[in-house]
Amino acid sequence: MATYTLIESQVLGSSAASVTFSAIPATYTDLVLKVSARSSRTVSVTQPIRLSFNGVGGTSYSWTELVGTGSSVSSWSASSTSYIEQAFATAGGATANTFGSAEIYIPSYTASQSKPISGFSNSENNATEALISTVAGLFSSSAAITSITLAQSSTFLWLADSSFNLYGISNTI
């Protein structure tokens, strides 16, 4: 049976450009990140999460994403990038006081191999445009993941009251 243990919770008291979980212990088998957030972007319902690990940029990441809006479907991918991107975060142009949600799963985060990442997210909006997204990514590093940073593109911010919760999963029998 898998047991979830909260490692750290961050609820923003004011807007922030990024959120970082550091000093992640190596005592679990997997990690799960649960997010409820809103972006300062005002022209769209969504704003991507840019996910990176251990402060590593460069060309260590690749990802493929599938996005549905209720009226269309699109996909894109990138390789040799400095982050894994997932469409997410209900933007400031969406219905007031709504937050998007996401769950990002990181199995075997301490293994001496590249780390697969999967994520699922949706925006919340009481209008014609909404979004659901899934992403598969790879962090090409054999180092254990000891920190996670969630940022946004350009000059957008995570708004106050956005919450970020990191859980460790222990597989016990």
Side-chain angles (χ1 to χ4, degrees):
M1 172 183 226
T3 303
Y4 284 59
T5 302
L6 181 63
I7 296 172
E8 184 178 351
S9 179
Q10 296 185 39
V11 179
L12 299 181
S14 60
S15 298
S18 65
V19 171
T20 299
F21 295 94
S22 56
I24 297 170
T27 54
Y28 304 99
T29 56
D30 305 334
L31 298 173
V32 172
L33 182 59
K34 295 185 181 233
V35 178
S36 175
R38 187 170 173 94
S39 169
S40 65
R41 184 175 183 180
T42 60
V43 296
S44 176
V45 172
T46 63
Q47 174 63 32
I49 292 174
R50 291 190 171 172
L51 185 68
S52 60
F53 305 102
N54 300 346
V56 174
T59 59
S60 298
Y61 306 87
S62 59
W63 49 270
T64 299
E65 183 173 21
L66 177 64
V67 176
T69 65
S71 61
S72 66
V73 176
S74 58
S75 67
W76 52 90
S77 61
S79 59
S80 301
T81 65
S82 58
Y83 52 82
I84 293 173
E85 185 171 282
Q86 177 163 5
F88 171 71
T90 297
T95 304
N97 301 315
T98 59
F99 289 73
S101 60
E103 182 170 303
I104 299 166
Y105 189 77
I106 308 165
S108 304
Y109 72 104
T110 61
S112 297
Q113 62 190 29
S114 293
K115 313 298 185 289
I117 312 301
S118 62
F120 178 81
S121 67
N122 68 291
S123 64
E124 298 292 338
N125 190 26
N126 295 328
T128 57
E129 182 182 346
L131 175 131
I132 192 165
S133 167
T134 188
V135 68
L138 187 68
F139 174 43
S140 297
S141 173
S142 60
I145 293 175
T146 58
S147 71
I148 300 172
T149 299
L150 295 96
Q152 293 189 39
S153 61
S154 195
T155 59
F156 301 112
L157 303 173
W158 298 113
L159 294 180
D161 298 321
S162 293
S163 64
F164 305 83
N165 298 286
L166 179 64
Y167 294 87
I169 299 177
S170 298
N171 290 322
T172 58
I173 297 179

